[in-house]
Amino acid sequence: MPYSSILETIGRTPLVELKRFQPREGVRIFAKLEGQNPTGSVKDRIARVMLETAEAEGRLSHDKVILEPSSGNTGVSLAMIARYMGYRVKIVLPDNVTSERQALIESFGASVEFSDGQKGTNGAIEVAHQMVADDPDEYVMLYQYGNEANPRAHYEGTGQEIVDELPKVTVFIAGLGTGGTLMGVGRRLKEHNSEVRVIAVVPHPEERIQGLRSLDEGFIPPILDPKLLDGQFIVTSSESFELTRELLERESIFAGISSGAVLACAVRVAERMDSGNIVCLMADGGWKYLSTGVWTRPLEELEAEMGRKIWW
Ligand SMILES: Cc1ncc(COP(=O)(O)O)c(C=O)c1O
């Protein structure tokens, strides 16, 4: 059956076994490939549910601008979906994210306001709050960090899809950004089997991995309930680069850098297990990271840049 619009193609992403990362028989690693969504990331799911919910509640109007702080993926997804729905969008973006993100947001007709890249997404959140406070009649913010529609999109979508495809999940691993993925998928999987362990991947506090945050920076997203997490794994930027490359070299899967971080965690968890199924969520495809040269440049060169903290 043909889809009635591009919005209907969001979700139902493939779950692919990573056989070439299997440490021993009985321990299996699966990757949910969110890069297969229309704008190439998991954020299409939450942008659609947040926009549809806000529209149904009468919070959106064509005179107002939808304003959102984002490290990029949510911005691209909101720009794409709001364009289809006929609303205007402005995204507050740290000024050191990859150039593809700005280009994509602008291609979908949204505008970009930059925040200080050294402050990461926390800086973008501050700027967006200030803009709404200064001009409440101009802007409406969906605020992915505090919007229950974010984890709900994962509870009803991503989590349900995993339960349907792989009923026996032992460990679920995802990166921590807003916490929406971990909360929504975590709740759905634990409801199905209370023994499932949910593990958050966070960057080293002194490093940056685009899309991920360390809770040590002091901001805990309101939608995040740390009690639902069974563990946190710290991954360095260089491990993330390495595993992003290995994922492509061994499995021919072209995913973003936070997927490398998630895979680094999965490989370590798998080594400690005797049996069971690990599901990793690969949040985006590799397209938005081509300009970093992560697949083509020497690792030492990438690490030297990382030292200047241009990665977010
Ligand atoms: C590339 C990437 N990975 C992981 C995440 C984390 O997802 P969540 O916000 O659901 O915690 C994000 C979100 O910003 C992201 O952009």
Side-chain angles (χ1 to χ4, degrees), residues 14 27 36 77 105 117 175 177 211 221 271 281 283:
V27 179
Q36 305 284 334
S77 300
I105 290 167
E271 276 162 8
L281 187 123

PDB file of all heavy atoms in Angstrom, residues 14 27 36 77 105 117 175 177 211 221 271 281 283:
ATOM      1  N   PRO A  14      14.697  -0.896  10.532  1.00  0.00           N
ATOM      2  CA  PRO A  14      15.175  -2.284  10.615  1.00  0.00           C
ATOM      3  C   PRO A  14      16.011  -2.563  11.865  1.00  0.00           C
ATOM      4  O   PRO A  14      16.750  -1.704  12.341  1.00  0.00           O
ATOM      5  CB  PRO A  14      16.030  -2.428   9.355  1.00  0.00           C
ATOM      6  CG  PRO A  14      16.308  -1.058   8.860  1.00  0.00           C
ATOM      7  CD  PRO A  14      15.284  -0.129   9.423  1.00  0.00           C
ATOM      8  N   VAL A  27      25.709 -14.981  22.684  1.00  0.00           N
ATOM      9  CA  VAL A  27      25.593 -13.536  22.939  1.00  0.00           C
ATOM     10  C   VAL A  27      25.435 -12.846  21.584  1.00  0.00           C
ATOM     11  O   VAL A  27      26.319 -12.942  20.728  1.00  0.00           O
ATOM     12  CB  VAL A  27      26.837 -12.967  23.676  1.00  0.00           C
ATOM     13  CG1 VAL A  27      26.678 -11.466  23.906  1.00  0.00           C
ATOM     14  CG2 VAL A  27      27.051 -13.696  24.992  1.00  0.00           C
ATOM     15  N   GLN A  36      17.464   5.211   9.048  1.00  0.00           N
ATOM     16  CA  GLN A  36      16.550   4.908   7.931  1.00  0.00           C
ATOM     17  C   GLN A  36      15.300   5.780   7.932  1.00  0.00           C
ATOM     18  O   GLN A  36      14.456   5.657   7.051  1.00  0.00           O
ATOM     19  CB  GLN A  36      16.121   3.443   7.993  1.00  0.00           C
ATOM     20  CG  GLN A  36      17.275   2.460   8.016  1.00  0.00           C
ATOM     21  CD  GLN A  36      17.918   2.277   6.668  1.00  0.00           C
ATOM     22  OE1 GLN A  36      17.282   2.476   5.652  1.00  0.00           O
ATOM     23  NE2 GLN A  36      19.180   1.921   6.661  1.00  0.00           N
ATOM     24  N   SER A  77      14.511  17.479  11.901  1.00  0.00           N
ATOM     25  CA  SER A  77      13.217  16.770  11.875  1.00  0.00           C
ATOM     26  C   SER A  77      12.053  17.747  12.019  1.00  0.00           C
ATOM     27  O   SER A  77      11.054  17.642  11.294  1.00  0.00           O
ATOM     28  CB  SER A  77      13.146  15.742  13.014  1.00  0.00           C
ATOM     29  OG  SER A  77      14.178  14.799  12.876  1.00  0.00           O
ATOM     30  N   ILE A 105      18.663  22.127   7.882  1.00  0.00           N
ATOM     31  CA  ILE A 105      17.597  22.910   8.531  1.00  0.00           C
ATOM     32  C   ILE A 105      17.162  24.024   7.588  1.00  0.00           C
ATOM     33  O   ILE A 105      15.970  24.235   7.343  1.00  0.00           O
ATOM     34  CB  ILE A 105      18.097  23.470   9.885  1.00  0.00           C
ATOM     35  CG1 ILE A 105      18.266  22.329  10.893  1.00  0.00           C
ATOM     36  CG2 ILE A 105      17.140  24.540  10.430  1.00  0.00           C
ATOM     37  CD1 ILE A 105      19.033  22.701  12.152  1.00  0.00           C
ATOM     38  N   GLY A 117      29.159  27.535  21.018  1.00  0.00           N
ATOM     39  CA  GLY A 117      29.435  26.109  20.888  1.00  0.00           C
ATOM     40  C   GLY A 117      30.137  25.524  22.112  1.00  0.00           C
ATOM     41  O   GLY A 117      29.937  24.354  22.452  1.00  0.00           O
ATOM     42  N   GLY A 175      22.293   6.122  23.492  1.00  0.00           N
ATOM     43  CA  GLY A 175      22.955   7.338  23.945  1.00  0.00           C
ATOM     44  C   GLY A 175      21.980   8.199  24.738  1.00  0.00           C
ATOM     45  O   GLY A 175      20.763   8.118  24.540  1.00  0.00           O
ATOM     46  N   GLY A 177      20.726  11.864  25.380  1.00  0.00           N
ATOM     47  CA  GLY A 177      20.697  13.262  24.935  1.00  0.00           C
ATOM     48  C   GLY A 177      19.644  13.965  25.766  1.00  0.00           C
ATOM     49  O   GLY A 177      19.913  14.514  26.826  1.00  0.00           O
ATOM     50  N   GLY A 211      25.163  15.131  20.035  1.00  0.00           N
ATOM     51  CA  GLY A 211      23.879  14.522  20.409  1.00  0.00           C
ATOM     52  C   GLY A 211      23.846  13.973  21.823  1.00  0.00           C
ATOM     53  O   GLY A 211      22.775  13.759  22.370  1.00  0.00           O
ATOM     54  N   PRO A 221      17.624  16.638  32.183  1.00  0.00           N
ATOM     55  CA  PRO A 221      16.378  16.927  31.457  1.00  0.00           C
ATOM     56  C   PRO A 221      15.163  16.501  32.290  1.00  0.00           C
ATOM     57  O   PRO A 221      15.182  15.422  32.896  1.00  0.00           O
ATOM     58  CB  PRO A 221      16.502  16.061  30.191  1.00  0.00           C
ATOM     59  CG  PRO A 221      17.968  15.816  30.024  1.00  0.00           C
ATOM     60  CD  PRO A 221      18.539  15.777  31.409  1.00  0.00           C
ATOM     61  N   GLU A 271      31.134  -8.663  26.115  1.00  0.00           N
ATOM     62  CA  GLU A 271      32.288  -9.456  26.575  1.00  0.00           C
ATOM     63  C   GLU A 271      32.059 -10.032  27.972  1.00  0.00           C
ATOM     64  O   GLU A 271      32.619 -11.048  28.336  1.00  0.00           O
ATOM     65  CB  GLU A 271      33.555  -8.591  26.567  1.00  0.00           C
ATOM     66  CG  GLU A 271      34.188  -8.554  25.183  1.00  0.00           C
ATOM     67  CD  GLU A 271      35.169  -7.409  25.004  1.00  0.00           C
ATOM     68  OE1 GLU A 271      35.482  -6.726  26.013  1.00  0.00           O
ATOM     69  OE2 GLU A 271      35.588  -7.198  23.849  1.00  0.00           O
ATOM     70  N   LEU A 281      20.667   1.128  20.016  1.00  0.00           N
ATOM     71  CA  LEU A 281      19.950   2.065  19.151  1.00  0.00           C
ATOM     72  C   LEU A 281      20.953   2.974  18.445  1.00  0.00           C
ATOM     73  O   LEU A 281      21.695   3.706  19.091  1.00  0.00           O
ATOM     74  CB  LEU A 281      18.947   2.891  19.957  1.00  0.00           C
ATOM     75  CG  LEU A 281      18.075   3.735  19.022  1.00  0.00           C
ATOM     76  CD1 LEU A 281      16.608   3.443  19.231  1.00  0.00           C
ATOM     77  CD2 LEU A 281      18.383   5.199  19.146  1.00  0.00           C
ATOM     78  N   ALA A 283      21.320   6.086  16.509  1.00  0.00           N
ATOM     79  CA  ALA A 283      20.408   7.231  16.408  1.00  0.00           C
ATOM     80  C   ALA A 283      20.345   7.883  15.027  1.00  0.00           C
ATOM     81  O   ALA A 283      19.331   8.450  14.654  1.00  0.00           O
ATOM     82  CB  ALA A 283      20.766   8.278  17.451  1.00  0.00           C
TER      83      ALA A 283
END
